[in-house]
Amino acid sequence: MVDYSTGWLDRVAIVGVGDTQVGKVPGVSSLALHQWAIREAIEDAGLTRDDVDAVFTQPPYADPTFLHSVWVAKSLGIKPRYSADMNIGGATPVGMLVHAALAVANGLCNVAVISFAENALSARGKPHHGRYNQQYEDYERPYGRVGAPIGYALAARRHMYEYGTTSEQFGAIAVAMRKHAVMNPNSQMHDPITLSDHQAAPYVVEPFRLLDCCLVSDGGGAVVVTTRDRAKDVKKSPVRILGLGSCHPHKNIQSAETLSETGARYSGSQAFLQAGVSPKDINVAEIYDCFTYTVLVQLEDLGFCEKGEGGSFVEGGRIELGGELPVNTHGGLLSQGHIDGMLHIVEAVRQIRSECGSRQVQEAELALVTGNGGELSTHWTAIMGRY
Amino acid sequence: MAEIPFKQPLPIPDEDSSPYWEGCRKSRLMLQRCGTCGTVRFPPQHLCPSCWSENADWVQASGRGEVYTFGVVRRALRPDWRERVPYVVALVCLEEGPKLFTNIVDCRPEEVAIGMPVVVIFDQVSEEIVLPKFRPLT
């Protein structure tokens, strides 16, 4: 068990969040989206670029870039004392938040910004100079493992086999995310869907239908972290990080011990332990949702329901606004847009600050955010609240 | 068996995996068994992930296993796979323990089920590369 017990998190605060337009944003480079998101986040904090002395970025997937964080910093006229590129897939945004908080809390920097952005929709499949070695090339891709849905579809099928989970239950998640996206003016998808729409959608990879799969989007997001002292004179109420946890159980699914339980189990229990709260205390959850199944299995692993009961848990509007546990109030990757989970953090901060208008959760004092990367390979949980 | 010409980027045998691919060329599914703790591993790698021993023997797998989970690709996300849909991707759990990502062939997608016994077949997709795939064990 990792010991976080020194209370170091009390020395840091989230003081700014920013996002770009999300959806189809033609003619804008990934670098420009990073700049846009970072500018928004720094302005949101009431700071200037001269205050920023640390930059953490997640490079675009289609364009892996050497020294990306330094390049982004330089492009904004920032000279960081501390910089780092990070990529653990969709767990990266929360992971970067943790790295930024650690650096701030330990005096390596004062004001850190983290960002992810990519023009994935407009430039999909057009890498500038090459792709990562993803470790699918030798033993998976020759069998047609092309695209992310396959690994998750195989995991979902196993959960259905072990626990009797149904496609309609996956559909309830898709419907909830879309309902929330419709209430978010910065969404890629604007039209509500019904369970019938979900069931009528064509299969991509059985058991996943089109509406079980997240979007491909252009856009970016950024978050500013500083010391609690410095947070006293920023523009908005600082947001407190109360608990963190992580777990990275496998790389490819063929080496996974199980596909019906994820790193969220350990990641979540660590975060709850550190925060000193339990799942029933959480008012709003921004749960990484690359596929519907990803949400369902994490809800179980995080302890919002028992293992195997995720299917019945998501039914009946329980995870919709107005329900017991509103999930992905911005619409998530499934319906707002795929910004790799960075906007899950942005939304949690805005919920805690009561800035979400019609989709505001009443008394959103405690928010839980997760990030999940690879094929249920990497996982981070963060619990946030107020000072 | 590759009726549609194979246009995908092919596996690149390296220091760790050459004996595996060489085995496939001879229609043998070869796995490493740790010479110290006996753990059978896949994919091929130099160290035993269980005990870090560098001693390993290449042993021929029985070629039998069962479907651990599977999916039916109906809409391929890359153009070069679109003409092959539908096809079945699966994790097969081998009798020796490791799981392999593979295709289930020689049957209709509707016939595939979790727990179904399968056996390896070898599909020559280029002059150099032979891919192990699995069909129902009847």
Side-chain angles (χ1 to χ4, degrees):
Chain A
M1 180 74 66
V2 178
D3 181 13
Y4 284 120
S5 64
T6 56
W8 66 273
L9 278 172
D10 286 345
R11 301 202 294 272
V12 300
I14 298 170
V15 294
V17 292
D19 52 356
T20 70
Q21 183 189 333
V22 170
K24 183 82 173 170
V25 191
V28 184
S29 70
S30 293
L31 176 64
L33 290 167
H34 269 279
Q35 294 166 332
W36 181 351
I38 289 172
R39 210 175 56 220
E40 295 282 337
I42 293 172
E43 282 173 10
D44 183 58
L47 297 170
T48 72
R49 69 173 179 188
D50 295 332
D51 297 309
V52 176
D53 60 0
V55 176
F56 298 75
T57 64
Q58 177 178 12
Y61 285 98
D63 194 17
T65 306
F66 183 54
L67 298 182
H68 184 263
S69 56
V70 185
W71 181 52
V72 170
K74 176 67 181 170
S75 77
L76 288 158
I78 294 169
K79 290 178 183 167
R81 286 200 285 153
Y82 193 128
S83 71
D85 304 3
M86 187 167 173
N87 189 357
I88 48 169
T92 310
V94 183
M96 287 195 294
L97 178 70
V98 177
H99 285 252
L102 280 164
V104 164
N106 290 289
L108 295 168
C109 58
N110 282 319
V111 178
V113 62
I114 68 171
S115 74
F116 172 77
E118 181 159 19
N119 58 353
L121 180 57
S122 295
R124 194 69 174 177
K126 295 177 199 161
H128 286 211
H129 302 294
R131 286 178 182 276
Y132 285 107
N133 173 353
Q134 295 184 307
Q135 289 297 314
Y136 302 127
E137 290 76 2
D138 287 328
Y139 304 110
E140 298 186 24
R141 192 192 287 163
Y143 299 100
R145 189 251 175 246
V146 287
I150 288 175
Y152 284 87
L154 265 57
R157 170 90 69 181
R158 187 70 199 181
H159 197 280
M160 295 167 94
Y161 172 78
E162 290 180 19
Y163 300 109
T165 310
T166 66
S167 172
E168 287 83 356
Q169 291 170 331
F170 295 145
I173 296 169
V175 169
M177 301 309 98
R178 183 61 63 87
K179 176 181 168 180
H180 300 164
V182 170
M183 299 167 79
N184 181 353
N186 191 19
S187 277
Q188 191 166 340
M189 306 305 278
H190 304 290
D191 299 322
I193 54 169
T194 64
L195 197 52
S196 305
D197 294 330
H198 174 271
Q199 290 295 300
Y203 281 119
V204 177
V205 182
E206 283 179 52
F208 281 162
R209 303 170 189 279
L210 185 62
L211 293 173
D212 290 305
C213 304
C214 70
L215 304 167
V216 175
S217 314
D218 301 328
V223 179
V224 178
V225 178
T226 188
T227 63
R228 192 174 170 188
D229 283 344
R230 185 66 191 269
K232 284 170 186 159
D233 50 37
V234 298
K235 207 157 77 179
K236 293 183 176 170
S237 301
V239 166
R240 179 178 191 173
I241 306 169
L242 291 155
L244 297 169
S246 61
C247 186
H248 311 265
H250 57 258
K251 168 62 180 76
N252 294 19
I253 55 168
Q254 64 187 5
S255 59
E257 286 175 24
T258 169
L259 297 172
S260 48
E261 183 178 294
T262 72
R265 182 167 176 190
Y266 183 73
S267 167
S269 65
Q270 248 186 324
F272 281 117
L273 186 71
Q274 188 183 19
V277 300
S278 67
K280 65 176 167 32
D281 300 315
I282 299 297
N283 306 113
V284 56
E286 313 298 356
I287 294 183
Y288 195 87
D289 57 325
C290 49
F291 299 95
T292 51
Y293 170 66
T294 321
V295 177
L296 187 146
V297 71
Q298 286 178 88
L299 286 167
E300 295 175 352
D301 292 338
L302 293 163
F304 289 105
C305 59
E306 294 296 316
K307 177 52 65 184
E309 293 180 0
S312 52
F313 185 84
V314 299
E315 289 177 314
R318 188 179 275 118
I319 63 167
E320 296 178 14
L321 278 160
E324 194 180 304
L325 180 74
V327 171
N328 295 346
T329 45
H330 55 323
L333 310 179
L334 285 163
S335 276
Q336 188 215 7
H338 188 304
I339 313 298
D340 221 32
M342 184 59 86
L343 300 188
H344 288 55
I345 303 174
V346 170
E347 177 74 1
V349 168
R350 288 177 175 161
Q351 284 286 345
I352 290 166
R353 291 171 172 178
S354 300
E355 294 175 344
C356 291
S358 65
R359 63 177 199 281
Q360 179 64 44
V361 173
Q362 295 309 304
E363 294 168 24
E365 288 183 15
L366 280 181
L368 177 141
V369 182
T370 69
N372 158 86
E375 297 175 327
L376 304 169
S377 315
T378 59
H379 199 274
W380 269 105
T381 303
I383 297 169
M384 300 175 192
R386 298 169 184 162
Y387 272 108
Chain B
M1 300 190 75
E3 294 149 9
I4 300 165
F6 204 89
K7 293 179 290 194
Q8 279 291 306
L10 293 166
I12 301 171
D14 65 10
E15 295 84 348
D16 292 332
S17 65
S18 288
Y20 173 78
W21 294 115
E22 199 181 307
C24 290
R25 278 197 297 275
K26 295 172 183 163
S27 296
R28 290 177 190 159
L29 185 62
M30 302 300 289
L31 300 172
Q32 288 163 298
R33 183 172 60 203
C34 176
T36 303
C37 76
T39 300
V40 179
R41 64 184 183 255
F42 182 83
Q45 58 174 40
H46 181 65
L47 279 181
C48 173
S50 293
C51 75
W52 287 10
S53 169
E54 294 178 271
N55 300 320
D57 301 313
W58 284 96
V59 294
Q60 185 173 355
S62 72
R64 288 186 297 272
E66 61 174 50
V67 174
Y68 181 77
T69 186
F70 70 101
V72 184
V73 181
R74 298 276 179 192
R75 176 172 160 169
L77 297 184
R78 296 281 183 276
D80 43 3
W81 283 91
R82 272 178 204 148
E83 55 198 301
R84 292 165 177 263
V85 299
Y87 58 90
V88 177
V89 287
L91 288 181
V92 165
C93 189
L94 299 175
E95 280 184 345
E96 292 79 8
K99 295 190 202 87
L100 260 66
F101 190 100
T102 189
N103 296 133
I104 306 298
V105 297
D106 294 351
C107 67
R108 290 183 301 120
E110 294 75 20
E111 295 169 38
V112 181
I114 290 178
M116 184 172 84
V118 290
V119 64
V120 71
I121 58 116
F122 291 92
D123 185 3
Q124 180 134 21
V125 295
S126 76
E127 201 171 312
E128 293 292 315
I129 294 296
V130 174
L131 296 176
K133 298 181 177 179
F134 289 77
R135 65 165 174 78
L137 180 67
T138 47

